[in-house]
Amino acid sequence: MKFDDIIYLTLLTASIGFGHVYRKLASPEARKWVGTGVGLGITVIVSGWHILHPIFLTGTNILILQYLPKRLCHTVSFWWSFGYLLFFRVCHYVGLVMVPAHTNAVQMMITLKVIGMCFEVHDTWRKRGEVKKLQDKDKAVEIELELKYEEVDPKPMDIFHYAFCYIGVLTGPYYKYRVYCDMLKGEPLKNGLDCWQATLHRVWVVPLYAAAFLLSDYFFPLTSYCYFEGLGQVQGTAACRKFAENDRIFTEYGFFYRLWYMTPVFFSFRMRIYAGFVLSECVCIMAGLGAYPTTSVPKPGRGPSNYQALDAGVGKGEKVEYNFEAIHNIDEYGADFTPTVRAGMRCWNMTVQYWLANNVYKRLKLSRPVKEALTMLASAYWHGVYAGYYLSMLTVPFILAVEDYYDKLVRRKLGEKCQKAYDWFSWFVKMQNFAYMGMAFLLLRVNTTLHYWHSIGFLYHGLIIIMHCIAQYVNLIIGKAEHKLKKCRETAFIDDHTKMRFLKTKDPPPCGQVAITNSVESKQEEAGSTQENFKDK
């Protein structure tokens, strides 16, 4: 374990313990200043003078909200903040010192916060305008209820407090500005919220994840050995080389080992991420952030979604049941055992998923596949400038398209038992796809990623292409058959003899002919007239 990782875990654990003190602060102002002070201290410890980057970004967004119209502030903030994020990551190419890794994590979270807050301000302005113009009273009442629990009007110092609050400043989770404001009021704490019990209920799995990570990383390490760059060990700089970049895995090990090696490496990666995400959630829980009544159906990142239940409240003497779904960032069971990539992704980094869905996906007026591709592009850009992020995440839209095709063409037409068998097979393919993309996420550089993928024949990219072609072919055949059937129905002619046979014997029409399209009454009238004519003859 690296020294930076030890500092990170120490700060994260200390933040959990500090939550017990933070909850006892009575006034919202005290919580603002104490939370910001501790957050700035944590940022200085991991960043040093590089803290100027997140301070500068926050200050410029304060100016955007102060001096730009509300109809434009969210757009300007989005492009400016993402643009500065790029400069922040490549500033060492223009003579500045390269920023530490943990400063990058701080900058990533503050970028989401300030952009998300500008979107909240814009949405508040838009909904206030809609209420004034609406003539439908029911719709106006609905929007007014949304405004009651969503509207924000932050002052410049409030924005700074929100950005640098110690809760989530290192690794998240992301939470809306309105969720932060609700935490300052402390209503759940006044109603007897038990943060200790909720923390223990969430944190008990962390030792299991840590042990699983250490064990799997020992036997299947991603980083295999260290070497020295430079002229010699004294003058050179120590660096670590990943085993998947080492020539040994390509010369001493076969195709099937390289194909299998991705699975334990991805397992180690998941265990490390799970432990970090759960500890980050516990920081929020101990501070009382994200606690809402269960009846309000809180959603990760968003907060309550059932405003009617939240507005109704509870009767006197009734105990309020709270949960912390608003800051629930990882559903480990769902990420591991849901049968599809789409469902698995929804369980991973859920608060950031909400940010991407609300501020990117839903704002685009394009077709669903295009919106999914652009959303994954935004996610890759937010993660970093390495090509591995883009190679990994821009593979996802193609996998989702194939999954949707096969769900429509195959799964929906199967029985219950066959669907379970289909889901188990789909789960296996999903986990292999995740491991395959995870290698790009871990190797990062384009040459090492493509070299490793090439050594296993770009297997899962090829599988995506083959399955997509099969689905398109089947869809084409079915489409042609439906078109011919429709044309046959429109042009079919049924003679009187066939009508008589159908009405008397209830036999189906002969093969190649189509059922009668007239109404039942007209059929009976025609049959009656035919019988009378027959009797006359």
Side-chain angles (χ1 to χ4, degrees), residues 427-486:
W427 168 82
F428 175 79
V429 174
K430 179 206 80 170
M431 296 305 295
Q432 297 309 305
N433 275 317
F434 272 149
Y436 182 76
M437 293 184 291
M439 292 304 294
F441 208 88
L442 293 169
L443 293 175
L444 295 178
R445 295 198 298 271
V446 61
N447 57 334
T448 54
T449 301
L450 294 180
H451 183 51
Y452 192 89
W453 280 353
H454 179 266
S455 72
I456 58 174
F458 293 95
L459 180 63
Y460 290 100
H461 278 105
L463 182 64
I464 292 170
I465 295 172
I466 292 172
M467 293 183 70
H468 183 74
C469 291
I470 292 173
Q472 288 287 7
Y473 178 76
V474 173
N475 198 29
L476 179 65
I477 297 299
I478 293 175
K480 284 185 175 181
E482 290 180 348
H483 176 71
K484 289 182 178 179
L485 186 60
K486 181 179 178 181

Side-chain angles (χ1 to χ4, degrees), residues 402-413 422:
V402 171
E403 283 185 348
D404 291 343
Y405 269 129
Y406 278 84
D407 180 71
K408 180 180 178 181
L409 294 176
V410 179
R411 189 184 184 279
R412 296 182 187 180
K413 300 176 182 179
Y422 178 93

Side-chain angles (χ1 to χ4, degrees), residues 197-209 278 282 332:
Q197 189 64 32
T199 302
L200 292 175
H201 180 73
R202 190 70 180 107
V203 79
W204 72 271
V205 293
V206 172
L208 300 179
Y209 295 149
V278 172
C282 291
E332 307 96 280

Side-chain angles (χ1 to χ4, degrees), residues 23 193-204 285-286 324:
R23 291 199 316 272
L193 175 66
D194 189 352
C195 295
W196 273 108
Q197 189 64 32
T199 302
L200 292 175
H201 180 73
R202 190 70 180 107
V203 79
W204 72 271
I285 295 171
M286 280 297 289
F324 288 90

Side-chain angles (χ1 to χ4, degrees), residues 492-507:
F493 173 76
I494 302 176
D495 56 21
D496 292 340
H497 174 72
T498 305
K499 292 179 184 179
M500 286 293 299
R501 180 185 171 191
F502 175 72
L503 290 172
K504 284 185 176 182
T505 64
K506 305 298 183 182
D507 291 335

